[in-house]
Amino acid sequence: MRKLIPLLSLALASAAFAQKFDGLAATPPMGWNTWNTFACDISEALIKETAEAMIASGMRDAGYVYVVLDDCWMVKERDPDGDLVGDPAKFPSGMKALGDFLHGKGLKFGIYNCAGTKTCAGYPGGRGHEYQDARLYASWGVDYLKYDWCSTGTANAQETYKTMRDALHAAGRPIIFSMCEWGTAEPWKWAADVAHLWRTTGDIIDCYDCITGWSTGWKVILDKQVELAKYAGPDHWNDPDMMEVGNEGLTFAESRAHFSLWCMLAAPLIAGNDVRKMTSEIRALLTNREAIAIDQDPLGKQGTRFYIGGGREIWTKELSNGEWAVCMLNTGDAPADLAIEWERMHYFMRGQYSVSDIWKGAAAGDTKKPLTVRLDSHDVVLLRLKPLK
Ligand code: GAL
């Protein structure tokens, strides 16, 4: 028994570490990530200019606080101590200084690595270095880690991501853990106590519904979220990937629909455009408080597709205080007059509601009469419903 006691306390101690940091993502994380627009072409100047633009545009104050360096921030080899090294040509002041800069601006510092031996772009991965890397990230002031799944061979996703979760917890700095396993091992079924968010699909690109190998447009990703709503909630979100809002391959309507539907999904809102150069329309879209409030609603329910047919989809999302969000998408190639017949929703909504149109910023009647709206191809109407007294 005497011999068993130290073993038992060791087991208890490691069990105490085997957890993620709770409460870091009570609502879906919001921020910006380098990958969608800049891929490997990243630098300290880009991050600093972007941070300033996030402040000047009102993005930071609207909630976009995580500034995430994706792949390609490192040099190709670890140093003699086995530590990762930020590329001094890209980040001459070093990673700690970059974290300090972001914190000084009221922003948070996010970084990327990969669970395999190499990142997807061929930089050193985290496999076998989890605890060492977690301590390094903590020492740099990292607040968010995106962890990819390239070069993992036959590794088991659940075990591998748990190792990194435990390493982050042991390092002691609260860091949001964002799994990027592409949905291959159905993380929604097991990752609620492993990560704060997990990718559900392959990569997004800036088109409506194109498919280019591993990468697809946002509509293709949207279709894959239909069955996943029940797995999401505070501190454990489905991640349908970073946004392409404002990027070249989308019309304004498609950007607006993409943003609206990501809000309906309670998706992490990680912008992926060049915020230094965005138009005032895109700025207004990304910073719209009413739309963001749908995404960030404290009830933390992911929206579901209520209806599909007749060239439209209608999505609904339950909000706190008995309110609802409703979003109708014109899936056709031409403008159309499309209707929402409220009475069809009465089996899950209770009573009657007033309706406000978020993109018009105006009242849109109530649910006593069907609502018909003219929508451009791939555009949406985004509505908030409040119970009528
Ligand atoms: C992919 C990931 C992308 C991006 C890229 C970097 O696996 O899904 O979001 O991080 O790697 O190489």
Side-chain angles (χ1 to χ4, degrees), residues 35 70-71 112 120-121 146 148 150 180 182 199 203 241-242:
W35 187 255
D70 208 287
D71 209 345
Y112 160 103
C120 300
K146 172 175 169 181
D148 214 338
C150 280
C180 179
W182 319 309
R199 278 274 296 279
D203 290 5
D241 207 355
M242 308 168 299

Side-chain angles (χ1 to χ4, degrees), residues 5 22 26 46-47 53 66 106 130 148 192 208 244 258 306 315 349 355 378 385:
I5 289 172
D22 286 330
L46 170 70
I47 301 302
Y66 291 95
E130 289 84 356
D148 214 338
Y208 174 68
E244 293 284 3
H258 172 21
F306 165 71
W315 288 71
M349 292 183 184
V355 181
H378 304 165
L385 274 58

Side-chain angles (χ1 to χ4, degrees), residues 129-349:
H129 293 269
E130 289 84 356
Y131 283 76
Q132 177 175 10
D133 291 351
R135 285 194 297 273
L136 188 66
Y137 301 144
S139 77
W140 289 345
V142 166
D143 304 294
Y144 182 112
L145 175 67
K146 172 175 169 181
Y147 217 50
D148 214 338
W149 190 242
C150 280
S151 305
T152 45
T154 56
N156 173 289
Q158 201 164 343
E159 291 315 313
T160 306
Y161 280 102
K162 274 185 181 167
T163 302
M164 194 60 201
R165 169 202 65 182
D166 295 349
L168 290 172
H169 199 261
R173 182 178 171 87
I175 293 180
I176 288 193
F177 191 31
S178 159
M179 282 175 44
C180 179
E181 179 275 349
W182 319 309
T184 318
E186 303 188 316
W188 44 88
K189 292 189 178 159
W190 50 263
D193 68 348
V194 179
H196 300 91
L197 60 157
W198 51 80
R199 278 274 296 279
T200 55
T201 66
D203 290 5
I204 197 167
I205 41 171
D206 61 335
C207 64
Y208 174 68
D209 63 355
C210 65
I211 299 179
T212 313
W214 180 239
S215 304
T216 65
W218 64 261
K219 178 61 171 68
V220 179
I221 293 180
L222 179 73
D223 290 341
K224 295 183 177 163
Q225 310 310 307
V226 170
E227 303 297 327
L228 303 185
K230 63 173 183 267
Y231 300 106
D235 257 349
H236 57 280
W237 307 102
N238 289 310
D239 175 9
D241 207 355
M242 308 168 299
M243 296 187 288
E244 293 284 3
V245 172
N247 287 341
E248 250 173 37
L250 297 176
T251 64
F252 180 71
E254 288 166 348
S255 272
R256 170 153 70 185
H258 172 21
F259 184 60
S260 304
L261 285 153
W262 261 229
C263 292
M264 294 297 289
L265 291 173
L269 296 180
I270 308 293
N273 57 328
D274 187 344
V275 300
R276 303 168 307 172
K277 296 184 182 154
M278 66 185 159
T279 63
S280 55
E281 286 81 12
I282 293 295
R283 184 189 57 71
L285 200 61
L286 286 171
T287 56
N288 183 290
R289 302 293 169 121
E290 295 273 315
I292 292 171
I294 290 173
D295 180 78
Q296 297 284 304
D297 186 83
L299 197 59
K301 290 237 175 156
Q302 177 171 328
T304 54
R305 186 161 64 193
F306 165 71
Y307 180 80
I308 176 168
R312 67 195 194 277
E313 290 188 12
I314 300 174
W315 288 71
T316 61
K317 181 183 197 285
E318 190 180 359
L319 305 175
S320 42
N321 302 320
E323 300 184 18
W324 286 83
V326 176
C327 184
M328 178 164 64
L329 168 69
N330 176 1
T331 54
D333 294 334
D337 293 313
L338 298 169
I340 302 179
E341 281 126 14
W342 298 115
E343 63 196 26
R344 293 203 195 178
M345 297 184 189
H346 277 173
Y347 70 90
F348 61 92
M349 292 183 184

